[in-house]
Structure formats: C-alpha cells, structure tokens
Amino acid sequence: MISKPLLEDSTSPLLNSRPLELYVFIDPNCHDCWQLQPILRRLQLDYERYFTLRVILRTSLTSLNGTCNQQLDQCDTIQHPAFPSIAIKAAEFQGKRAGFRFISKLFEYLYLKNENVNTFDVLLTIAKSVNLDVDEFTRDFHSKNVHRALQIDLYMAREMEVIEAPTFVFFNGNIEDEGLKISGLYSYHIYEQIIEELLGHSIFPDTPPPLEQLFQRFDLLATKEVADIYQTSEQQVERELKKRVLQQSLERITFNNTTMWKRKKQSVMH
C-alpha cells in the first residue's frame, strides 16, 4: 500500500481546492526524465485545475557524502555528481515556479548543449539564465538546508516505494485511499486516462494560452511540443513560429538537429 507521507499541511487552501495530488519523481541525470518534460508541461496546461504538482528528486544520496560534504566551501573549483540535485533544491527555495524553470534549463544544458552540469560554474550560469537571485542561490547551495530538503525527498521516495525515475504517484482527496504509482515513461494519453479514472468522470482540457503567453511560461519549446499543445500539425505551428521570429519576439535555435524555439529577450532602450 502506498501512503502519502505526512510532511505537508493538509489544511492548505491550494491542496484542498484541487481533487488530486501528483508527485513526480525525477533524476537530473535520467534521459527519460528529460523526455518527460513536454508531457508534464502539457498536463499542467490542460488539467492543472485538477491537481497540485510536486516534483521530487529520486537521486542516490550516497553521492552527497564524503567529498561533497567536506568540500562544499571549494565547490566553485570542483565537480560532483550530487551538485545538480543540490542546485535544484537551492532553486526551489526561491519558489516552485523557479524550481521548475531551473530543472527545464538544467535539462537543456545537459542534453541539448552537452554542458557539464556537475560543475558549480555551469549551475550558476543556469541560475542566472532563469533570473534567480544568484546571491541567494549561492548561499542556499552551500547551506545545510539543501541537504535536509534532499533527505526529505529520499524519505518520500522510500515511503512511496519509488525505486526508479521517472515515477508518478497520484493521490485523490481521500486520505484513507492508497496512491496509484506509475513507473516509467508512457504516452500523454495514458496520464489523461489515469486522471479521469481517479476523478470518476470525464475531463476536458483547458484552452491553451496564446503563443506569447506560452513562451512566457516555458522558455524553450520544440516544434512537436507546441504542435501537441495546440493539437495541430507541425507544419502549421512552424509557420506561426516563423512569423514570431520575423516579429523578433522569438528566436529559432538548433541543437543536434533538434529545432527549438525560445522567447527573445528584448533589448532595453536608453
């Protein structure tokens, strides 16, 4: 039986206003977790009114021992496989949305740009690129609070019997009901069906936001991902995105033969 660990305030208005709770366990070094990103973003756009979302790290914390604990003061000049997990937690201290943005950018640097995200310098660059308070990020990265937060994630993974990433665990509003655990990566419609079955009634996706608002929320998107969100062809989407490039609101970027689209930062006029 999968029970929800009693770590959060069940009286929170947000928790009570949505019928489902969704815990998603990821590993920063897991390729399937990177491929999960478009699915998770689309679920948020389509059905966020039905669930609260919490992303939890399913990372081996043995890597936090020894070198990392002893040399955090010199982390600027060393690399360590635990650093990405530490950085994600440090980013989350600046808010849930900040954490989501940091995770997405970290995956971009790791899988598209082939950067070494085990170094603090690269992680600091990522923090700057998603507009975090870098001084606060650096302080939190070095603090013991990050290690406590990672220990909580480890505890939740153990209590929910999560042994791999990615894993989804769904809970409904009845605290006596056990959670539904789905390990591995599946098609988008599988997750839709699970939400519908747990709610016990048909669900209908929200209308997707305009392109401009989409790119304000999610910084970097692939052509196929945008086409899936708007339920149209990649050719139609590409025509619309190219218009935005001409209008200088978006820019087109290619990584390893993958076409991505990014909101263009507007230059400040003096």
Side-chain angles (χ1 to χ4, degrees):
M1 177 176 178
I2 304 172
S3 300
K4 182 173 63 175
L6 300 177
L7 290 174
E8 297 171 274
D9 180 8
S10 60
T11 64
S12 166
L14 183 60
L15 290 177
N16 290 331
S17 65
R18 298 177 184 177
L20 301 180
E21 292 179 61
L22 172 54
Y23 294 76
V24 180
F25 293 81
I26 68 165
D27 183 336
N29 293 306
C30 168
H31 190 271
D32 279 353
C33 292
W34 173 52
Q35 293 184 315
L36 177 70
Q37 291 290 293
I39 293 173
L40 205 53
R41 287 193 285 242
R42 189 177 167 195
L43 280 174
Q44 288 177 279
L45 290 170
D46 284 351
Y47 302 115
E48 200 167 31
R49 68 189 185 277
Y50 293 119
F51 62 81
T52 56
L53 172 66
R54 178 166 178 179
V55 175
I56 303 173
L57 295 179
R58 174 63 183 90
T59 308
S60 173
L61 292 192
T62 55
S63 60
L64 288 176
N65 298 324
T67 302
C68 189
N69 281 334
Q70 295 168 8
Q71 298 185 356
L72 268 179
D73 289 340
Q74 294 86 37
C75 71
D76 296 16
T77 58
I78 64 173
Q79 59 179 336
H80 197 280
F83 280 3
S85 297
I86 294 171
I88 289 171
K89 284 300 166 189
E92 286 179 352
F93 286 171
Q94 298 188 36
K96 183 187 284 189
R97 283 282 177 91
F100 288 157
R101 292 199 310 271
F102 189 90
I103 291 170
S104 294
K105 187 64 67 174
L106 186 146
F107 281 139
E108 174 191 331
Y109 271 63
L110 178 58
Y111 292 109
L112 295 177
K113 295 184 176 181
N114 297 316
E115 295 274 357
N116 183 2
V117 297
N118 291 334
T119 65
F120 180 73
D121 283 346
V122 171
L123 295 167
L124 191 61
T125 299
I126 294 172
K128 291 175 181 176
S129 71
V130 296
N131 299 318
L132 294 185
D133 182 321
V134 292
D135 291 335
E136 183 180 342
F137 173 81
T138 301
R139 284 194 303 270
D140 289 333
F141 186 93
H142 289 79
S143 77
K144 292 183 179 179
N145 293 331
V146 159
H147 292 255
R148 294 192 195 101
L150 286 169
Q151 291 288 349
I152 290 173
D153 280 12
L154 179 64
Y155 165 78
M156 296 184 76
R158 185 170 60 247
E159 289 297 300
M160 296 187 198
E161 301 174 358
V162 173
I163 59 174
E164 66 178 284
T167 292
F168 282 68
V169 181
F170 296 84
F171 291 97
N172 63 24
N174 188 347
I175 196 170
E176 295 181 356
D177 289 347
E178 63 181 274
L180 176 63
K181 182 174 64 178
I182 308 294
S183 299
L185 186 65
Y186 297 90
S187 70
Y188 180 77
H189 299 296
I190 295 297
Y191 301 108
E192 278 186 308
Q193 291 172 15
I194 292 170
I195 292 173
E196 196 164 69
E197 288 174 8
L198 287 173
L199 290 172
H201 58 74
S202 298
I203 58 174
F204 303 94
D206 286 335
T207 301
L211 272 173
E212 291 73 17
Q213 291 182 22
L214 180 69
F215 279 90
Q216 286 176 359
R217 181 165 184 181
F218 305 117
D219 183 56
L220 189 74
L221 297 162
T223 307
K224 184 181 186 307
E225 182 175 1
V226 179
D228 288 343
I229 288 169
Y230 291 102
Q231 291 292 282
T232 187
S233 69
E234 291 186 43
Q235 292 78 10
Q236 176 65 29
V237 159
E238 189 154 335
R239 283 195 293 269
E240 291 299 320
L241 293 171
K242 285 179 178 178
K243 290 179 186 177
R244 270 60 177 190
V245 172
L246 292 174
Q247 295 165 0
Q248 298 191 344
S249 62
L250 295 180
E251 56 182 315
R252 181 175 182 164
I253 304 172
T254 301
F255 298 109
N256 302 324
N257 299 319
T258 301
T259 299
M260 308 292 289
W261 308 85
K262 182 178 182 179
R263 181 163 58 97
K264 192 170 184 178
K265 292 182 179 179
Q266 302 299 315
S267 59
V268 179
M269 301 295 293
H270 294 284

